[in-house]
Amino acid sequence: MIYRELGKTGLKVSAIGFGAGEIGDYSISDSEVDKLLNAALDLGINLIDTARGYYASEERIGRFLSHRRNEFILSTKVGYGIEGYNDWTYEIILAGIDEALRVMKTDYIDIVHLHSCDINVLKKGEVTEALLKAKQMGKIRVAAYSGENDALEYAINSDKFDSIMTSVNICDQYSLNNLIPMAKQKDLGVIAKRPIANAPWRFVERPVGNYAEEYWLRWKEMNLPESENWLDTFLRFSVYADGIDSAIIGSTNVNHLQTDIQIIEKGPLNPALANYIKTSFNEYWMGLI
């Protein structure tokens, strides 16, 4: 496994992180999730990323990984969904962190992101101040923001955050081109989400209504050279993109994680191909939230 410094946070993260959204699905058995989470750590993946909104995900991380807490870096996202609190308030940030600590059976969380709140919420300042209060109290180590476009730009320029998470892939290069360079100038950590763009190559025709629809449209419009292995092309592009410390990829299959690791071990894409992909991206396409 390749490990990289997460900005100046003092954390060293695996180049691939495990996205724990899919394990929040109650239709996946506890035994499968237990095996998958522990296998991810055994493979050298040390960044586990979840969120308040991922249903059973946080609870399962606590149940199946708390005995190995010192082996991984835990990331979650807050801001909503706590009974008795209004979303995106000072109080719900602190309550959400306390709930995450309880559910994931830990005394601290390494990274906590504000989860895609809009720029107006950020400008009010109270959610950011609550996050910094939790950091001061030792409940979290890294105050972070997850989002896109103008809200992400505001977060970077606020000088309140230690790290960011944003969409980076072949079909979503807005942050890569415009915002990540700013973040790196400030020594922020950078975590890429959606590194394979929800795998648009799976669909022969436009997947109307599917999560991958917009990425599929962009991918087709870019008219890239045919690839024998689109997963290889997409993943290596994102993992080795300038400024990326870790790329989060979700799976419910241990073999898929092993394949992902084998892919990134090949190193960066051919520079000519990587440059072609960059120049094929429409500069007017904004980041997808």
Side-chain angles (χ1 to χ4, degrees), residues 37-96:
L37 286 171
N38 281 280
L41 296 191
D42 293 340
L43 288 168
I45 296 173
N46 77 342
L47 176 60
I48 307 293
D49 179 71
T50 185
R52 170 71 185 170
Y54 296 167
Y55 303 101
S57 180
E58 288 188 333
E59 185 270 331
R60 284 173 155 176
I61 289 169
R63 192 162 12 133
F64 301 127
L65 286 187
S66 60
H67 66 292
R68 301 180 67 176
R69 182 64 186 90
N70 64 341
E71 297 181 44
F72 65 97
I73 293 164
L74 180 57
S75 163
T76 195
K77 311 178 195 77
V78 299
Y80 51 86
I82 302 290
E83 188 174 352
Y85 295 88
N86 292 324
D87 291 351
W88 301 114
T89 58
Y90 184 95
E91 292 77 16
I92 201 171
I93 299 302
L94 294 177

Side-chain angles (χ1 to χ4, degrees), residues 167-188:
S167 298
V168 176
N169 59 62
I170 283 174
C171 306
D172 204 336
Q173 299 181 48
Y174 180 82
S175 289
L176 182 64
N177 296 333
N178 300 285
L179 303 180
I180 290 175
M182 295 166 48
K184 283 301 169 181
Q185 285 181 353
K186 295 176 179 287
D187 294 319
L188 301 186

Side-chain angles (χ1 to χ4, degrees), residues 5-286:
E5 300 290 339
L6 184 67
K8 284 198 171 180
T9 65
L11 301 177
K12 202 164 190 176
V13 292
S14 48
I16 287 180
F18 179 77
E22 292 181 55
I23 66 165
D25 186 343
Y26 291 99
S27 68
I28 303 171
S29 71
D30 283 348
S31 61
E32 288 177 277
V33 173
D34 187 357
K35 178 182 176 183
L36 181 67
L37 286 171
N38 281 280
L41 296 191
D42 293 340
L43 288 168
I45 296 173
N46 77 342
L47 176 60
I48 307 293
D49 179 71
T50 185
R52 170 71 185 170
Y54 296 167
Y55 303 101
S57 180
E58 288 188 333
E59 185 270 331
R60 284 173 155 176
I61 289 169
R63 192 162 12 133
F64 301 127
L65 286 187
S66 60
H67 66 292
R68 301 180 67 176
R69 182 64 186 90
N70 64 341
E71 297 181 44
F72 65 97
I73 293 164
L74 180 57
S75 163
T76 195
K77 311 178 195 77
V78 299
Y80 51 86
I82 302 290
E83 188 174 352
Y85 295 88
N86 292 324
D87 291 351
W88 301 114
T89 58
Y90 184 95
E91 292 77 16
I92 201 171
I93 299 302
L94 294 177
I97 291 169
D98 285 343
E99 180 68 0
L101 289 167
R102 183 189 69 81
V103 170
M104 292 193 284
K105 300 179 180 179
T106 181
D107 295 328
Y108 68 96
I109 301 170
D110 297 285
I111 310 167
V112 174
H113 297 83
L114 298 179
H115 198 180
S116 298
C117 63
D118 67 31
I119 191 169
N120 293 320
V121 172
L122 286 176
K123 285 181 175 179
K124 289 179 182 178
E126 61 179 298
V127 293
T128 306
E129 291 307 313
L131 199 62
L132 295 176
K133 178 66 174 178
K135 181 181 176 183
Q136 181 185 5
M137 297 169 69
K139 294 182 178 183
I140 73 175
R141 297 175 67 182
V142 173
Y145 177 78
S146 175
E148 312 295 329
N149 306 322
D150 59 345
L152 178 59
E153 183 173 1
Y154 182 88
I156 293 168
N157 287 327
S158 73
D159 294 324
K160 300 287 188 180
F161 298 95
D162 308 306
S163 186
I164 61 167
M165 177 183 288
T166 186
S167 298
V168 176
N169 59 62
I170 283 174
C171 306
D172 204 336
Q173 299 181 48
Y174 180 82
S175 289
L176 182 64
N177 296 333
N178 300 285
L179 303 180
I180 290 175
M182 295 166 48
K184 283 301 169 181
Q185 285 181 353
K186 295 176 179 287
D187 294 319
L188 301 186
V190 176
I191 299 173
K193 61 180 179 177
R194 302 179 186 152
I196 61 171
N198 306 322
W201 60 86
R202 295 174 293 154
F203 305 96
V204 176
E205 298 180 349
R206 177 176 178 173
V208 177
N210 187 278
Y211 199 46
E213 181 179 3
E214 180 59 31
Y215 282 147
W216 186 90
L217 291 170
R218 291 183 179 188
W219 175 56
K220 287 296 184 181
E221 188 173 329
M222 289 174 73
N223 196 30
L224 299 173
E226 189 58 41
S227 173
E228 294 181 1
N229 186 337
W230 281 112
L231 173 62
D232 183 295
T233 303
F234 271 74
L235 189 56
R236 290 167 68 195
F237 176 85
S238 299
V239 168
Y240 290 100
D242 289 344
I244 302 303
D245 300 320
S246 184
I248 299 297
I249 190 160
S251 180
T252 57
N253 186 304
V254 174
N255 292 332
H256 290 171
L257 295 180
Q258 292 172 325
T259 297
D260 294 337
I261 292 169
Q262 290 168 357
I263 285 172
I264 68 165
E265 286 175 346
K266 296 179 182 179
L269 292 176
N270 178 285
L273 175 58
N275 187 62
Y276 187 89
I277 291 170
K278 291 175 184 177
T279 57
S280 299
F281 183 77
N282 186 330
E283 63 179 314
Y284 297 104
W285 286 335
M286 302 297 285

